[in-house]
């Protein structure tokens, strides 16, 4: 049956076909374009038949009129989940719509703090000490995770979901009593949790410098900017404190 679909042959006149016990709607018969090697439009919005063949100029160039959304370029000025994690970038790639900023790989790697740190280490860049743990490991053996963190890092530590923005789900734990609730909070948002050792102190405070870089073969960096905090990072509320099971 699948071979007939790829060849553009319909087995009957019913509204659907059955393949390996699964019902395949007739719109999916557009898969026949694969057998002929035709290009297709993949619109960013679901439609009854998503794979629609289109013609090209000289067989190479897409026409503007063929695009699902008739725009010149997209500025994805979005933050956080689905905005800067490669999701919307992948959607725009599928829709063949030009956009600015990082691509799918750069966006996804930059959003995942654990992957990003691994890439920094591979490139020989200095980073703060950190430990990555899974939510399942914390739920199964919280005391073991606690010992791991304390053997690798010194308090205070920052506990973060690996794949979120710069504030959601993040807590600052000053001691063991605050570590558990901080991990619990981060685990609400991601299955992977990054715990970083705080840098600086009373005598030498840490500084946060940001710098954007754009460009592919010839990247260009912006003028560095400094984020100056007005107070200490918000810690886990006292009423959220919990004891680690013995």
């Amino acid at each position: 049956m699948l071979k007939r679909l790829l060849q553009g042959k319909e087995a009957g006149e019913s509204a659907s076909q059955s393949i390996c016990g699964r019902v395949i709607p007739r719109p999916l018969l557009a898969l026949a374009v694969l057998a002929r090697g035709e290009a297709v439009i993949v619109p960013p919005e679901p439609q009854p038949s998503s794979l629609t063949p289109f013609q090209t100029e000289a067989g190479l160039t897409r026409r503007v009129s063929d695009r699902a959304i008739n725009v010149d370029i997209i500025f994805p000025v979005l933050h956080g989940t689905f905005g800067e994690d490669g999701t919307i970038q992948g959607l725009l790639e599928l829709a063949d719509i030009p956009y600015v900023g990082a691509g799918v790989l750069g966006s996804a790697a930059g959003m995942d703090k654990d992957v990003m740190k691994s890439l920094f280490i591979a490139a020989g860049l200095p980073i703060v000490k950190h430990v990555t743990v899974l939510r399942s490991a914390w739920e199964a053996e919280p005391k073991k995770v606690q010992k791991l963190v304390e053997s690798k890092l010194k308090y205070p530590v920052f506990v973060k979901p690996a794949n979120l923005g710069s504030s959601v789900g993040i807590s600052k734990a000053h001691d063991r009593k605050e570590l558990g609730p901080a991990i619990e909070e981060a685990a609400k948002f991601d299955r992977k949790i990054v715990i970083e050792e705080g840098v600086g102190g009373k005598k030498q405070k840490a500084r946060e410098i940001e710098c954007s870089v754009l460009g592919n073969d010839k990247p260009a960096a912006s003028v560095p900017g400094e984020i100056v905090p007005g107070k200490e990072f918000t810690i886990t509320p006292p009423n959220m404190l919990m004891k680690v099971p013995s």
Side-chain angles (χ1 to χ4, degrees), residues 103-158:
V104 177
L105 177 60
S107 299
M111 188 70 168
D112 190 313
K113 299 175 181 65
D114 177 55
V115 171
M116 178 183 63
K117 289 178 181 295
S118 297
L119 293 174
F120 285 169
I121 292 172
L125 299 175
I127 64 173
V128 298
K129 293 181 180 179
H130 77 287
V131 171
T132 299
V133 299
L134 297 180
R135 176 172 53 203
S136 57
W138 167 253
E139 293 174 345
E141 300 181 278
K143 196 167 184 178
K144 183 177 180 180
V145 171
Q146 176 183 285
K147 289 182 178 179
L148 172 65
V149 172
E150 294 181 338
S151 68
K152 300 290 185 179
L153 311 176
K154 295 180 180 180
Y155 291 108
V157 296
F158 288 90

